């Protein structure tokens, strides 16, 4: 399976372990040093969000609502990258309750 991980904080580093089980994993993070450990284990480094969206699934683990909005809806974000394709998109983050601003 080809999986893209976007956002590699402490929790995501553990979730991206499929790279150790033979899956084709591509990783992206704003802070490039956070992808180094997974790249050393065989993951591919993505240069942009859209580069991490070419597989069967895209998983995000982002810090907040603003990060999600940027990564998902920007011109080179997940929605734009996945148009015409059908990867599964799984989004995880700590967010404000619905209706709270």
């Amino acid at each position: 399976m080809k999986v893209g991980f976007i956002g590699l904080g402490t929790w995501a580093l553990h979730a991206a372990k499929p790279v150790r089980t033979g899956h084709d994993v591509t990783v992206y993070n704003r802070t490039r040093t956070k992808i180094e450990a997974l790249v050393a284990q065989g993951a591919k480094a993505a240069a942009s969000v859209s580069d991490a969206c070419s597989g069967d699934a895209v998983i995000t683990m982002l810090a907040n609502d603003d990060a999600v909005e940027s990564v998902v809806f920007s011109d080179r974000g997940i929605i734009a990258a996945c148009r015409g394709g059908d990867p599964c998109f799984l989004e995880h983050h700590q967010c404000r309750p619905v209706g709270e601003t």
Side-chain angles (χ1 to χ4, degrees):
M1 176 177 242
K2 292 177 72 173
V3 181
F5 277 89
I6 300 170
L8 293 167
T10 304
W11 186 53
L13 286 174
H14 296 289
K17 287 183 181 178
V19 71
R20 295 183 192 153
T21 59
H23 294 283
D24 184 352
V25 176
T26 301
V27 293
Y28 174 81
N29 198 79
R30 292 178 301 187
T31 306
R32 301 298 290 174
T33 55
K34 291 190 175 184
I35 68 171
E36 292 172 355
L38 290 170
V39 170
Q41 295 173 37
K44 296 175 185 144
S48 67
V49 168
S50 59
D51 290 343
C53 298
S54 63
D56 304 307
V58 178
I59 300 169
T60 61
M61 295 184 186
L62 302 167
N64 56 47
D65 293 336
D66 293 336
V68 171
E69 194 167 316
S70 174
V71 166
V72 174
F73 298 110
S74 70
D75 291 341
R76 291 187 39 92
I78 293 171
I79 299 298
C82 293
R83 286 203 173 109
D86 59 351
C88 178
F89 172 44
L90 305 168
E91 189 272 323
H92 306 273
H93 81 289
Q94 292 181 343
C95 62
R96 293 184 297 264
V98 174
E100 185 178 312
T101 57

